[in-house]
Amino acid sequence: MKLNKLLKSIGIITDIETEIKDIIFDSRVKNMENCVFVCLKGASFDAHDFAEEAVDKGAVAVVAQRELTINAPCFVVENTRKALALLSACFFDNPSEKLTTIGLTGTKGKTTSAFMLKSIFEAAGKKVGVIGTIGVLIGNELIKTNNTTPENYFVQKYMALMAEKGCDVCVMEVSSIGLKDYRVYGFTFDLGIFTNFSEDHIGGVEHKDMEEYLYCKSLLFKMCKKGIINIDDENYKGIIKDHTCEITTYGFNNEAELIGKNSELYSENGFIGSSLEVEIKNGENFKTLIGMPGKFNAYNALGVIAAALECGVNTESIKEGLKNVNVKGRVERIPTNGNYTLLIDYAHNAVSMRNVLTTLREYKPKRIVTMFGAGGNRPKVRRYEMGEESGKLSDLSVITEDNSRFEEVTDIIEDIKVGINKTSGKYIVIPNRKDAIRYCIENAEEGDIIVLAGKGHEDYQEIKGVKYPFDERDVIKEIYASLEK
């Protein structure tokens, strides 16, 4: 792209027609030949200090927030983060215009809701891209990222890749930090969804207080065409304050436009989830199953249903998508060879373990069998607490390894036993994780719920500084294959 066309996107007129190969904002990049360098300023760094170095590496123009004495054209803007967003959108040919874009914000439920949407749109025959906690998912291809919402350059780059690979829809988890730092600036979402709001991300370099946290969440509804709002959450008025979009509402509240009713736990033949009745004002009412345990997922489902209906998805695709939804590593249901439930979950501390096991208890299984370990080079108290929670809430705990890092597995297991021995819970110790999974499968009983806790979406085991390939889904397939011989 020519420099003059690129700069026009941020209101700068120039007659320089140099061909631009890329936009760079990381001063550590070694080769910047025929690139534009954008000077970002953070809490602990200022890229303005490296502008001359960028020019020495080949940058042909610099965008900055102040005048710089450098051997290349310098274009000054008020906010370089906003400028980077607009430049990136232009450079990648405004990919948001080629996709249906849905942004999700809220303290909890973003990842689950994103995968519910993915499942629904796929049931409707659409190809979906997801940007969020697990990385960037384009169809079945996963690109790992460091942040829930990447820097705006990468948001545009990934959306362009989605459009290139034939995606119809981009579903994005939009974090409060992402909104604060203009990571989704430069385009308008078709839909924005608000899930819920509670205390999180306060202090340090994140948000100074709850007021700022709420304000940042609200920004999504100044940058989408339509907002889908959970009005059962008492903070919703703060979320939609000064909104510029149309609003539609959901909740179990009769004042909502899409109302949930009679949410109940549901389990049958290894399937565990919930059922939900949906009442649509001036629309078709229906009942659906949700393939994730816990009534709290009914709220996620309601917001997702409202979004899918806005996009013209039929109720049959919605029902199929919700029933078959699976979120990698979040109470992820794995097919079994018997009438029991096998789940993989990322629970790796006492709070998350308590939440998962308490939810599963509500299904009144024959037994809950929890297999878990604990990470090495982490506070020992976490191990004691995990052992105690599993001892209280599981019928059988299978204690094994996790990412032992630079500690001995046997030492970590002894710490877990300190906690579990405070309870009357039964347990066995199988140090090798693969052997522990085999034990759980070979000794499964009808009506059991087996939870493989701690690894979740991870596909490695970290031991003595080395990450070895280890995906529990692959291990399970190998075990079932060996049992069939």
Side-chain angles (χ1 to χ4, degrees):
M1 181 173 288
K2 304 285 188 185
L3 180 62
N4 56 348
K5 181 181 177 183
L6 190 62
L7 291 176
K8 191 175 179 181
S9 69
I10 55 173
I12 292 174
I13 305 301
T14 177
D15 56 3
I16 304 174
E17 292 193 344
T18 305
E19 193 74 32
I20 299 302
K21 188 171 69 176
D22 205 352
I23 303 166
I24 305 292
F25 56 93
D26 185 343
S27 61
R28 294 168 295 183
V29 173
K30 291 181 179 178
N31 184 1
M32 301 191 193
E33 188 177 347
N34 291 107
C35 294
V36 172
F37 182 67
V38 180
C39 301
L40 300 185
K41 191 175 186 304
S44 58
F45 72 93
D46 188 347
H48 291 78
D49 298 336
F50 302 95
E52 188 61 55
E53 182 183 326
V55 173
D56 291 342
K57 290 177 179 179
V60 295
V62 172
V63 176
Q65 286 181 187
R66 64 174 185 265
E67 292 289 350
L68 298 170
T69 305
I70 55 175
N71 191 28
C74 178
F75 300 95
V76 178
V77 296
E78 185 179 341
N79 186 309
T80 50
R81 286 193 178 276
K82 285 185 175 182
L84 177 62
L86 295 167
L87 291 167
S88 301
C90 179
F91 185 76
F92 290 109
D93 195 25
N94 298 302
S96 64
E97 295 174 5
K98 303 164 190 173
L99 301 160
T100 296
T101 52
I102 303 174
L104 291 148
T105 199
T107 305
K108 295 172 184 157
K110 294 189 294 296
T111 302
T112 299
S113 297
F115 276 84
M116 285 180 172
L117 282 166
K118 180 177 186 291
S119 186
I120 286 170
F121 279 112
E122 287 177 344
K126 305 289 187 183
K127 186 171 180 180
V128 184
V130 177
I131 300 175
T133 306
I134 58 105
V136 177
L137 192 61
I138 302 175
N140 293 317
E141 178 192 350
L142 180 64
I143 303 165
K144 294 185 178 179
T145 56
N146 295 324
N147 299 311
T148 296
T149 311
E151 189 58 76
N152 50 43
Y153 169 89
F154 290 110
V155 166
Q156 296 293 336
K157 183 176 182 177
Y158 294 139
M159 285 197 294
L161 188 59
M162 289 174 188
E164 181 187 318
K165 296 205 170 194
C167 287
D168 305 287
V169 182
C170 171
V171 179
M172 198 183 308
E173 294 181 51
V174 185
S175 68
S176 56
I177 303 298
L179 287 158
K180 179 181 178 181
D181 288 346
Y182 303 104
R183 294 180 198 167
V184 290
Y185 188 79
F187 71 100
T188 302
F189 285 95
D190 292 298
L191 296 174
I193 303 175
F194 165 62
T195 59
N196 52 62
F197 183 84
S198 59
E199 188 162 345
D200 199 6
H201 301 298
I202 306 302
V205 297
E206 295 190 311
H207 300 294
K208 63 181 180 181
D209 52 33
M210 288 289 283
E211 186 177 356
E212 184 190 279
Y213 180 39
L214 181 69
Y215 170 74
C216 289
K217 291 284 186 196
S218 77
L219 292 173
L220 179 60
F221 304 98
K222 299 177 180 68
M223 49 201 314
C224 66
K225 295 173 186 174
K226 189 153 201 171
I228 296 171
I229 306 296
N230 172 12
I231 61 167
D232 287 359
D233 189 297
E234 62 183 7
N235 296 286
Y236 88 91
K237 289 181 180 177
I239 289 290
I240 63 172
K241 184 181 178 185
D242 300 325
H243 67 89
T244 58
C245 60
E246 292 181 43
I247 294 290
T248 190
T249 59
Y250 70 93
F252 284 80
N253 183 328
N254 282 330
E255 294 179 8
E257 290 163 83
L258 188 141
I259 305 166
K261 291 187 173 181
N262 301 323
S263 175
E264 296 177 348
L265 300 176
Y266 182 90
S267 62
E268 184 180 27
N269 299 326
F271 174 94
I272 61 169
S274 57
S275 62
L276 174 68
E277 293 177 17
V278 181
E279 184 180 298
I280 307 165
K281 289 188 177 177
N282 304 317
E284 174 193 354
N285 301 338
F286 62 94
K287 187 173 182 177
T288 185
L289 293 178
I290 304 164
M292 297 193 72
K295 286 186 178 180
F296 54 87
N297 276 313
Y299 270 111
N300 295 330
L302 281 176
V304 160
I305 290 167
L309 290 171
E310 287 290 339
C311 294
V313 179
N314 62 56
T315 54
E316 289 309 308
S317 295
I318 290 171
K319 289 192 281 187
E320 182 185 340
L322 286 175
K323 183 178 180 181
N324 296 325
V325 65
N326 235 355
V327 183
K328 191 172 184 180
R330 307 283 180 101
V331 285
E332 178 186 356
R333 198 171 67 253
I334 304 297
T336 70
N337 62 355
N339 191 12
Y340 60 91
T341 303
L342 180 60
L343 305 171
I344 293 175
D345 192 79
Y346 190 48
H348 59 288
N349 58 40
V351 173
S352 54
M353 182 171 279
R354 184 189 315 128
N355 289 342
V356 168
L357 297 182
T358 300
T359 296
L360 297 176
R361 264 286 153 224
E362 295 177 12
Y363 288 87
K364 298 181 171 54
K366 181 176 181 179
R367 295 186 306 167
I368 290 182
V369 178
T370 307
M371 187 208 78
F372 72 103
N377 303 103
R378 298 292 185 269
K380 287 192 174 189
V381 66
R382 180 182 291 184
R383 305 166 192 177
Y384 307 149
E385 291 172 348
M386 288 177 71
E388 191 168 354
E389 288 297 337
S390 187
K392 288 175 184 175
L393 295 168
S394 306
D395 297 286
L396 175 66
S397 297
V398 181
I399 306 174
T400 187
E401 62 185 330
D402 202 310
N403 294 321
S404 54
R405 299 186 176 90
F406 291 96
E407 286 194 71
E408 295 299 324
V409 171
T410 49
D411 293 339
I412 297 171
I413 287 173
E414 287 304 312
D415 289 335
I416 293 171
K417 286 165 65 177
V418 170
I420 207 164
N421 283 328
K422 292 180 181 179
T423 75
S424 57
K426 296 179 182 177
Y427 69 89
I428 62 168
V429 173
I430 305 177
N432 181 281
R433 195 171 182 98
K434 190 170 183 177
D435 292 342
I437 294 172
R438 177 176 285 275
Y439 174 88
C440 291
I441 289 172
E442 289 184 340
N443 292 276
E445 299 176 11
E446 186 171 331
D448 279 356
I449 295 179
I450 299 169
V451 185
L452 310 182
K455 299 294 292 175
H457 59 276
E458 291 179 355
D459 57 5
Y460 63 87
Q461 276 273 55
E462 188 177 347
I463 302 167
K464 305 292 185 190
V466 179
K467 288 186 176 181
Y468 296 94
F470 191 95
D471 189 319
E472 290 185 326
R473 295 148 203 82
D474 295 335
V475 172
I476 291 164
K477 285 177 186 174
E478 289 173 18
I479 292 168
Y480 280 136
S482 70
L483 292 174
E484 289 171 3
K485 290 179 180 177

